[in-house]
Amino acid sequence: MRSIPALLITILSFGAGSSAQAPLDGFSFGHRGQISPNSFAIPGFNILGEEYVPQLLSDKVILTPPYGGNKKGALWTENKNTLSDWQVDFEFRVGVTDQGSGSLHVWYAANGKDTISTNSIYSLQRFDGLAVVVDTTGGKQKIRGFLNDNSVEYKSNPNVESLAFGHCDYTYRNLGTPSRLRIKSTSAGLEVTIDDKPCFSTDTVRLPTDYHFGITAASNDPPDSFEAFKFALSPATPPVQQQQRDTTEGRQNIPNQQQVIAPAGSMADPNTIAALERRVNDLYTLVERTTNTMAQQFESLNSRLSQPLPGGGDGKSGPTQAQFASLDARLNDLSRTLKSMEGELKSGDHSKQFEKLSAQIDTVHSGVTEHVPQRLREYMLAHTPRIGFILYSFMFFQTCCIAAWVWYKWRKSTMPKKYL
């Protein structure tokens, strides 16, 4: 059996491309494409609201609506986190029809449902844990990180912005596509990225276990509409350099590499060693399963290739070598074309095309808003029945009747009377 340091090197080389495993179902939603199985609740989460109850749709959760201000919504995990190294992938979107205002919080805090509920850092006196806040401060849209151990009062602090230990500028309103926020906590520190780009990080923060994850959103007037598409918690591993350094230190403390002892640092924890062994077993199982699948695929491909080509038994000639060469050339041309298109899409600057498209959309919008009402009025005037003509005709007929009656009475009174 391999020693623990050797297994560490194997795991680190395998996980260099992806530092997180599959999401945990009890702490995640949206990672399987569906938010709720019944449109009434999210498994493993508590739904809270103030002046509004978050709306569950098939692919997202509307935490605050785009209408009406001063509404709050929150989602809190029912169970506590037991992972020492973890990663959260959160996808959200913010829409607003005007100059909206509001804040979105991602929490990792103790007793979050009871102590924090639907509050924000501006309305909460104290809390114990981490808060990653997406809001606007000083006229700039930012993502900031806040830490507290119940020792700092936030609500009564006149300058809450100064308590942030990290921040970055990020324009999040009306992007159209969801934004991807990633929070990673390992023995190497805390790291926050947005849309796969670094936002802020620190190597002096060690977050404990047995805390709850939560999402809270609050809208002001005019409101921001916050939508959550995905929240996925998965185990994570520290950076490769940090693990290799810890593994080297552990090797220096043993005379024989075949001895199975725990490395120095955070790996001395029995729970960490047990978790590592489970990961190794899962890795071996995955490799074995992948190998078996590939063997079956190769066997199936080999059996298909060994079969005679169609058209050989009915007198018709099968495909020739020239036809195979022609097909191969066409496939190569298609591959080069696709690579060229991919390079053009990645490296080309399409800002001018987008500006032209935006200008055309503005022109169409202005044409609709300026000309459609006038054309609609003209159409209504042209096709509306002439009520005035009917009204005047009726008045003329009544006038004629009255004039005839008056003439008849006058004529009757002026005629000579006959006496018997």
Side-chain angles (χ1 to χ4, degrees):
M1 180 178 180
R2 295 182 182 180
S3 62
I4 294 296
L7 293 178
L8 281 175
I9 296 298
T10 304
I11 295 174
L12 293 177
S13 61
F14 178 80
S18 176
S19 59
Q21 301 180 12
L24 305 180
D25 290 337
F27 295 84
S28 308
F29 64 83
H31 59 293
R32 299 187 183 277
Q34 188 178 11
I35 298 294
S36 172
N38 52 18
S39 300
F40 295 100
I42 302 177
F45 284 80
N46 294 303
I47 302 177
L48 306 176
E50 184 175 335
E51 301 294 334
Y52 171 78
V53 178
Q55 183 179 1
L56 302 183
L57 301 180
S58 61
D59 61 340
K60 63 182 177 181
V61 182
I62 302 178
L63 298 173
T64 57
Y67 55 86
N70 302 318
K71 291 179 173 57
K72 297 180 179 180
L75 301 174
W76 285 99
T77 57
E78 296 177 351
N79 301 320
K80 296 181 180 180
N81 171 48
T82 58
L83 299 175
S84 57
D85 297 331
W86 50 266
Q87 174 178 302
V88 166
D89 292 301
F90 177 51
E91 294 185 3
F92 67 94
R93 185 171 63 185
V94 184
V96 61
T97 58
D98 200 354
Q99 297 295 329
S101 57
S103 60
L104 178 66
H105 294 59
V106 179
W107 299 88
Y108 181 64
N111 301 322
K113 176 186 175 183
D114 300 325
T115 59
I116 299 176
S117 185
T118 60
N119 289 297
S120 65
I121 59 172
Y122 305 104
S123 60
L124 190 64
Q125 192 69 16
R126 300 174 187 268
F127 68 92
D128 182 10
L130 167 70
V132 178
V133 183
V134 180
D135 65 352
T136 301
T137 176
K140 293 184 178 180
Q141 303 177 38
K142 292 186 176 183
I143 299 177
R144 296 173 294 160
F146 297 87
L147 288 169
N148 197 6
D149 56 356
N150 280 326
S151 62
V152 181
E153 297 183 356
Y154 272 68
K155 184 177 180 180
S156 59
N157 194 304
N159 189 12
V160 178
E161 290 77 7
S162 62
L163 302 178
F165 70 90
H167 68 88
C168 67
D169 296 339
Y170 178 69
T171 303
Y172 55 84
R173 287 190 175 95
N174 293 332
L175 293 181
T177 58
S179 301
R180 300 182 302 275
L181 177 66
R182 175 174 296 172
I183 305 173
K184 184 178 180 181
S185 174
T186 63
S187 58
L190 181 67
E191 178 184 358
V192 177
T193 61
I194 183 69
D195 291 339
D196 299 327
K197 298 179 181 179
C199 182
F200 60 87
S201 61
T202 175
D203 57 356
T204 60
V205 175
R206 302 292 187 273
L207 296 177
T209 58
D210 294 333
Y211 279 13
H212 289 87
F213 290 97
I215 307 169
T216 63
S219 62
N220 297 327
D221 195 12
D224 277 329
S225 177
F226 293 101
E227 301 173 347
F229 292 83
K230 173 185 174 183
F231 184 90
L233 171 67
S234 57
T237 55
V240 176
Q241 294 82 359
Q242 177 70 21
Q243 289 193 356
Q244 289 179 345
R245 183 167 58 252
D246 294 341
T247 304
T248 304
E249 293 175 358
R251 286 183 175 180
Q252 292 175 356
N253 295 330
I254 57 176
N256 186 3
Q257 295 184 3
Q258 298 299 327
Q259 297 179 357
V260 181
I261 62 175
S266 61
M267 291 301 177
D269 188 3
N271 295 330
T272 305
I273 296 177
L276 178 62
E277 292 178 352
R278 288 195 299 269
R279 294 178 188 175
V280 172
N281 294 332
D282 293 341
L283 178 60
Y284 284 155
T285 303
L286 178 61
V287 171
E288 183 178 1
R289 189 178 304 171
T290 304
T291 304
N292 294 334
T293 303
M294 292 178 64
Q296 294 176 0
Q297 295 293 335
F298 277 116
E299 184 178 357
S300 176
L301 180 60
N302 188 24
S303 62
R304 291 183 180 181
L305 292 177
S306 61
Q307 295 177 359
L309 294 175
D314 56 355
K316 298 181 180 179
S317 60
T320 62
Q321 189 68 25
Q323 291 176 339
F324 278 118
S326 176
L327 179 60
D328 184 71
R330 292 181 182 179
L331 290 177
N332 291 333
D333 293 339
L334 179 60
S335 177
R336 287 193 295 269
T337 303
L338 291 177
K339 289 182 179 179
S340 176
M341 293 176 61
E342 183 181 4
E344 177 66 21
L345 291 176
K346 289 183 178 180
S347 62
D349 184 11
H350 304 281
S351 58
K352 295 183 179 179
Q353 288 82 350
F354 284 117
E355 290 177 359
K356 292 181 180 179
L357 180 59
S358 178
Q360 293 179 358
I361 292 175
D362 292 338
T363 303
V364 173
H365 181 268
S366 61
V368 170
T369 55
E370 293 178 4
H371 301 291
V372 168
Q374 181 65 24
R375 294 296 178 84
L376 183 61
R377 182 175 179 274
E378 294 175 358
Y379 180 85
M380 293 296 294
L381 292 177
H383 294 79
T384 302
R386 301 179 60 183
I387 303 298
F389 175 78
I390 298 175
L391 181 60
Y392 287 128
S393 299
F394 181 77
M395 292 176 61
F396 177 77
F397 176 77
Q398 293 287 342
T399 303
C400 292
C401 292
I402 294 173
W405 184 79
V406 171
W407 178 81
Y408 168 76
K409 297 295 289 185
W410 173 79
R411 180 66 181 272
K412 185 178 180 180
S413 62
T414 56
M415 289 181 63
K417 297 179 176 59
K418 299 179 178 179
Y419 298 96
L420 297 176

mmCIF file of all heavy atoms in Angstrom, residues 349-368:
data_model
loop_
_atom_site.group_PDB
_atom_site.id
_atom_site.type_symbol
_atom_site.label_atom_id
_atom_site.label_comp_id
_atom_site.label_asym_id
_atom_site.label_seq_id
_atom_site.Cartn_x
_atom_site.Cartn_y
_atom_site.Cartn_z
ATOM 1 N N ASP A 349 -12.309 41.499 -31.052
ATOM 2 C CA ASP A 349 -12.993 42.569 -30.332
ATOM 3 C C ASP A 349 -14.327 42.849 -31.029
ATOM 4 O O ASP A 349 -14.360 43.379 -32.143
ATOM 5 C CB ASP A 349 -12.116 43.825 -30.320
ATOM 6 C CG ASP A 349 -12.748 44.935 -29.483
ATOM 7 O OD1 ASP A 349 -13.721 44.673 -28.759
ATOM 8 O OD2 ASP A 349 -12.245 46.068 -29.551
ATOM 9 N N HIS A 350 -15.397 42.465 -30.383
ATOM 10 C CA HIS A 350 -16.726 42.619 -30.973
ATOM 11 C C HIS A 350 -17.494 43.785 -30.360
ATOM 12 O O HIS A 350 -18.716 43.818 -30.412
ATOM 13 C CB HIS A 350 -17.532 41.322 -30.787
ATOM 14 C CG HIS A 350 -16.854 40.111 -31.334
ATOM 15 N ND1 HIS A 350 -16.845 39.796 -32.681
ATOM 16 C CD2 HIS A 350 -16.125 39.140 -30.715
ATOM 17 C CE1 HIS A 350 -16.174 38.672 -32.867
ATOM 18 N NE2 HIS A 350 -15.716 38.248 -31.686
ATOM 19 N N SER A 351 -16.763 44.698 -29.748
ATOM 20 C CA SER A 351 -17.452 45.819 -29.106
ATOM 21 C C SER A 351 -18.163 46.701 -30.128
ATOM 22 O O SER A 351 -19.263 47.202 -29.868
ATOM 23 C CB SER A 351 -16.434 46.654 -28.320
ATOM 24 O OG SER A 351 -15.403 47.123 -29.183
ATOM 25 N N LYS A 352 -17.540 46.890 -31.325
ATOM 26 C CA LYS A 352 -18.178 47.733 -32.339
ATOM 27 C C LYS A 352 -19.491 47.108 -32.822
ATOM 28 O O LYS A 352 -20.491 47.794 -33.008
ATOM 29 C CB LYS A 352 -17.228 47.934 -33.507
ATOM 30 C CG LYS A 352 -15.970 48.720 -33.143
ATOM 31 C CD LYS A 352 -15.094 48.957 -34.363
ATOM 32 C CE LYS A 352 -13.866 49.767 -34.004
ATOM 33 N NZ LYS A 352 -12.978 49.990 -35.164
ATOM 34 N N GLN A 353 -19.475 45.776 -33.015
ATOM 35 C CA GLN A 353 -20.715 45.121 -33.443
ATOM 36 C C GLN A 353 -21.804 45.254 -32.393
ATOM 37 O O GLN A 353 -22.969 45.509 -32.713
ATOM 38 C CB GLN A 353 -20.457 43.625 -33.731
ATOM 39 C CG GLN A 353 -19.665 43.365 -34.998
ATOM 40 C CD GLN A 353 -18.172 43.521 -34.801
ATOM 41 O OE1 GLN A 353 -17.749 44.004 -33.773
ATOM 42 N NE2 GLN A 353 -17.390 43.122 -35.796
ATOM 43 N N PHE A 354 -21.411 45.104 -31.114
ATOM 44 C CA PHE A 354 -22.404 45.254 -30.059
ATOM 45 C C PHE A 354 -22.917 46.698 -29.981
ATOM 46 O O PHE A 354 -24.086 46.940 -29.678
ATOM 47 C CB PHE A 354 -21.811 44.830 -28.716
ATOM 48 C CG PHE A 354 -21.698 43.337 -28.552
ATOM 49 C CD1 PHE A 354 -20.463 42.738 -28.404
ATOM 50 C CD2 PHE A 354 -22.828 42.535 -28.562
ATOM 51 C CE1 PHE A 354 -20.353 41.371 -28.258
ATOM 52 C CE2 PHE A 354 -22.728 41.173 -28.418
ATOM 53 C CZ PHE A 354 -21.487 40.588 -28.271
ATOM 54 N N GLU A 355 -22.010 47.668 -30.232
ATOM 55 C CA GLU A 355 -22.450 49.064 -30.226
ATOM 56 C C GLU A 355 -23.445 49.330 -31.359
ATOM 57 O O GLU A 355 -24.450 50.022 -31.169
ATOM 58 C CB GLU A 355 -21.238 49.976 -30.361
ATOM 59 C CG GLU A 355 -20.333 49.991 -29.131
ATOM 60 C CD GLU A 355 -19.097 50.847 -29.345
ATOM 61 O OE1 GLU A 355 -18.960 51.408 -30.454
ATOM 62 O OE2 GLU A 355 -18.308 50.972 -28.416
ATOM 63 N N LYS A 356 -23.166 48.759 -32.556
ATOM 64 C CA LYS A 356 -24.114 48.916 -33.669
ATOM 65 C C LYS A 356 -25.453 48.271 -33.333
ATOM 66 O O LYS A 356 -26.518 48.846 -33.602
ATOM 67 C CB LYS A 356 -23.529 48.290 -34.933
ATOM 68 C CG LYS A 356 -22.312 49.036 -35.493
ATOM 69 C CD LYS A 356 -21.813 48.363 -36.765
ATOM 70 C CE LYS A 356 -20.599 49.094 -37.335
ATOM 71 N NZ LYS A 356 -20.079 48.432 -38.563
ATOM 72 N N LEU A 357 -25.396 47.079 -32.738
ATOM 73 C CA LEU A 357 -26.638 46.391 -32.369
ATOM 74 C C LEU A 357 -27.411 47.198 -31.335
ATOM 75 O O LEU A 357 -28.640 47.335 -31.419
ATOM 76 C CB LEU A 357 -26.311 44.999 -31.811
ATOM 77 C CG LEU A 357 -27.503 44.135 -31.382
ATOM 78 C CD1 LEU A 357 -28.441 43.906 -32.560
ATOM 79 C CD2 LEU A 357 -27.020 42.817 -30.805
ATOM 80 N N SER A 358 -26.689 47.776 -30.360
ATOM 81 C CA SER A 358 -27.352 48.602 -29.354
ATOM 82 C C SER A 358 -27.973 49.841 -29.984
ATOM 83 O O SER A 358 -29.088 50.238 -29.629
ATOM 84 C CB SER A 358 -26.347 48.995 -28.268
ATOM 85 O OG SER A 358 -26.941 49.827 -27.323
ATOM 86 N N ALA A 359 -27.247 50.453 -30.955
ATOM 87 C CA ALA A 359 -27.795 51.637 -31.627
ATOM 88 C C ALA A 359 -29.047 51.281 -32.424
ATOM 89 O O ALA A 359 -30.039 52.029 -32.421
ATOM 90 C CB ALA A 359 -26.737 52.256 -32.549
ATOM 91 N N GLN A 360 -29.035 50.132 -33.096
ATOM 92 C CA GLN A 360 -30.228 49.706 -33.833
ATOM 93 C C GLN A 360 -31.397 49.438 -32.904
ATOM 94 O O GLN A 360 -32.536 49.805 -33.200
ATOM 95 C CB GLN A 360 -29.900 48.463 -34.659
ATOM 96 C CG GLN A 360 -28.927 48.707 -35.797
ATOM 97 C CD GLN A 360 -28.622 47.443 -36.571
ATOM 98 O OE1 GLN A 360 -29.107 46.372 -36.226
ATOM 99 N NE2 GLN A 360 -27.799 47.563 -37.601
ATOM 100 N N ILE A 361 -31.116 48.825 -31.763
ATOM 101 C CA ILE A 361 -32.195 48.570 -30.793
ATOM 102 C C ILE A 361 -32.759 49.884 -30.275
ATOM 103 O O ILE A 361 -33.976 50.046 -30.117
ATOM 104 C CB ILE A 361 -31.668 47.693 -29.643
ATOM 105 C CG1 ILE A 361 -31.346 46.293 -30.166
ATOM 106 C CG2 ILE A 361 -32.686 47.608 -28.513
ATOM 107 C CD1 ILE A 361 -30.714 45.393 -29.118
ATOM 108 N N ASP A 362 -31.862 50.861 -30.002
ATOM 109 C CA ASP A 362 -32.343 52.172 -29.539
ATOM 110 C C ASP A 362 -33.194 52.845 -30.611
ATOM 111 O O ASP A 362 -34.208 53.483 -30.313
ATOM 112 C CB ASP A 362 -31.152 53.062 -29.173
ATOM 113 C CG ASP A 362 -30.422 52.549 -27.953
ATOM 114 O OD1 ASP A 362 -31.031 51.810 -27.179
ATOM 115 O OD2 ASP A 362 -29.230 52.902 -27.793
ATOM 116 N N THR A 363 -32.786 52.715 -31.891
ATOM 117 C CA THR A 363 -33.566 53.312 -32.976
ATOM 118 C C THR A 363 -34.948 52.687 -33.071
ATOM 119 O O THR A 363 -35.964 53.378 -33.207
ATOM 120 C CB THR A 363 -32.815 53.138 -34.312
ATOM 121 O OG1 THR A 363 -31.514 53.730 -34.199
ATOM 122 C CG2 THR A 363 -33.582 53.806 -35.445
ATOM 123 N N VAL A 364 -34.995 51.367 -33.000
ATOM 124 C CA VAL A 364 -36.292 50.689 -33.043
ATOM 125 C C VAL A 364 -37.153 51.082 -31.858
ATOM 126 O O VAL A 364 -38.356 51.339 -31.986
ATOM 127 C CB VAL A 364 -36.073 49.157 -33.088
ATOM 128 C CG1 VAL A 364 -37.400 48.428 -32.964
ATOM 129 C CG2 VAL A 364 -35.388 48.762 -34.383
ATOM 130 N N HIS A 365 -36.527 51.174 -30.689
ATOM 131 C CA HIS A 365 -37.283 51.547 -29.486
ATOM 132 C C HIS A 365 -37.838 52.956 -29.603
ATOM 133 O O HIS A 365 -38.993 53.230 -29.270
ATOM 134 C CB HIS A 365 -36.378 51.412 -28.264
ATOM 135 C CG HIS A 365 -37.073 51.740 -26.979
ATOM 136 N ND1 HIS A 365 -37.063 53.003 -26.423
ATOM 137 C CD2 HIS A 365 -37.828 50.972 -26.153
ATOM 138 C CE1 HIS A 365 -37.756 52.992 -25.309
ATOM 139 N NE2 HIS A 365 -38.230 51.770 -25.115
ATOM 140 N N SER A 366 -36.990 53.895 -30.087
ATOM 141 C CA SER A 366 -37.460 55.272 -30.238
ATOM 142 C C SER A 366 -38.569 55.357 -31.276
ATOM 143 O O SER A 366 -39.544 56.105 -31.132
ATOM 144 C CB SER A 366 -36.298 56.183 -30.619
ATOM 145 O OG SER A 366 -35.739 55.778 -31.865
ATOM 146 N N GLY A 367 -38.433 54.584 -32.374
ATOM 147 C CA GLY A 367 -39.492 54.586 -33.393
ATOM 148 C C GLY A 367 -40.799 54.065 -32.844
ATOM 149 O O GLY A 367 -41.876 54.597 -33.146
ATOM 150 N N VAL A 368 -40.705 53.033 -32.010
ATOM 151 C CA VAL A 368 -41.941 52.477 -31.430
ATOM 152 C C VAL A 368 -42.581 53.464 -30.469
ATOM 153 O O VAL A 368 -43.788 53.695 -30.487
ATOM 154 C CB VAL A 368 -41.621 51.134 -30.733
ATOM 155 C CG1 VAL A 368 -42.818 50.671 -29.923
ATOM 156 C CG2 VAL A 368 -41.255 50.092 -31.762
#
